[in-house]
Amino acid sequence: MAGASKLEKLPPWGSAVAGSAGAVLANALVYPLDIVKTRLQVQVKRTATSAAANPADDQHYTSALDAIAKIVKAEGLPGLYAGMAGSLIGVGSTNFAYFYWYTVVRSLYLQYRSLNAAPSTAAELALGAVAGAIAQLFTIPIAVVTTRQQTVSKHERKGLIETGREVVNSEDGWTGLWRGMKASLVLVVNPAITYGAYQRLRETIFPGRTALKPWEAFVLGAMSKSLATIATQPLIVAKVGLQSKPPPARNGKPFKTFGEVMQFIVQHEGLLGLFKGIGPQIMKGLLVQGFLMMTKERIELIFVLLFRYLRKVRAEKLQKLADLAAEKARRGGPILVK
């Protein structure tokens, strides 16, 4: 069935619902990796004479496995799911907005361009960047609150609304909910690279295919996300630093720009510090993007088949009404005498 016949295009909201549902499911499955990579990225590497602790819970993590063990020991298994509700709300809303606007801008681009060929790689990246920027404007406050929940200790952690109020009551006021906005706008290149690479790989490896098998979508999604993560990891680390509580060495003074975060990391940890947490970051990206695209492809296919069925039912009803009207007209017409 997949790829056997050309499938209809979904409206923007159909692609948005499919992408959002796939993202929520994928992130729920691998959420502990999100906690681990965030805590690894926010901590400052210790030196032999350093007494600075990880602001999350006075622990320092040497690896992803060490982080998992220490989080479970300190907080139990629920500690691996801290801030999950806010994170999934953020993931769902961000991906809904992204896929909606990506479908809109891509359709407009294809409608008004003169060539019939598929968009170039540069065009795909630009379309993804525009969609990502629009999505970020509306959804970044949820990311700020979630990051704050993930990087404070258990006894400091509050609910979603309370954490949001804490951010608003800080020195930044309401603008604190948009901390890291510039970094987030720069980071739209991540989904742009991801989905641009996905489209290009799909057209190259599976030319002419309108629907992919689950494992095919998974592999393409994982490959495209890996490329995007490696390219943008320093910006991801800087964004986490902007949105979390400042490290002890800052004496409570928050970072103002992602350039300031990157400078602080390089001074204390060297250039490799900009890539800390890349292991769980790539693993999370591989799994999330793989599951996301696999689920999205299936949900889109279900929508297409549902729309096709509804159109068929509607056509049958209209045909019955037309036949009934014709029958009434025939019975009520004049009697012809030879």
Side-chain angles (χ1 to χ4, degrees), residues 123-252:
E124 290 285 8
L125 292 176
L127 294 173
V130 171
I134 297 173
Q136 284 295 329
L137 289 173
F138 296 99
T139 58
I140 193 171
I142 302 174
V144 171
V145 172
T146 301
T147 300
R148 182 66 63 88
Q149 286 183 310
Q150 290 178 339
T151 55
V152 296
S153 59
K154 182 180 180 180
H155 67 274
E156 291 181 301
R157 191 173 301 133
K158 302 175 182 177
L160 191 66
I161 303 300
E162 291 77 8
T163 304
R165 287 175 180 167
E166 184 181 79
V167 173
V168 172
N169 291 332
S170 67
E171 64 179 75
D172 290 329
W174 283 97
T175 60
L177 291 174
W178 277 267
R179 282 189 66 83
M181 184 68 200
K182 292 180 180 179
S184 296
L185 289 178
V186 174
L187 272 171
V188 299
V189 299
N190 187 291
I193 293 172
T194 300
Y195 297 112
Y198 182 86
Q199 290 290 343
R200 184 59 58 211
L201 288 171
R202 178 173 178 167
E203 292 164 3
T204 302
I205 300 175
F206 304 108
R209 293 277 295 278
T210 55
L212 301 180
K213 297 177 182 178
W215 71 267
E216 294 171 339
F218 184 96
V219 170
L220 290 188
M223 290 170 61
S224 59
K225 189 62 177 180
S226 296
L227 294 173
T229 299
I230 293 171
T232 60
Q233 180 67 9
L235 292 175
I236 294 172
V237 172
K239 179 186 173 184
V240 171
L242 274 172
Q243 295 178 341
S244 62
K245 273 191 166 185
R250 296 276 299 180
N251 297 318

Side-chain angles (χ1 to χ4, degrees), residues 23 58 74 176 219 240 255 262-263 290 293 298:
D58 297 326
V219 170
V240 171
F255 295 105
M262 295 172 73
Q263 183 180 6
M293 299 312 297
R298 295 299 96 188

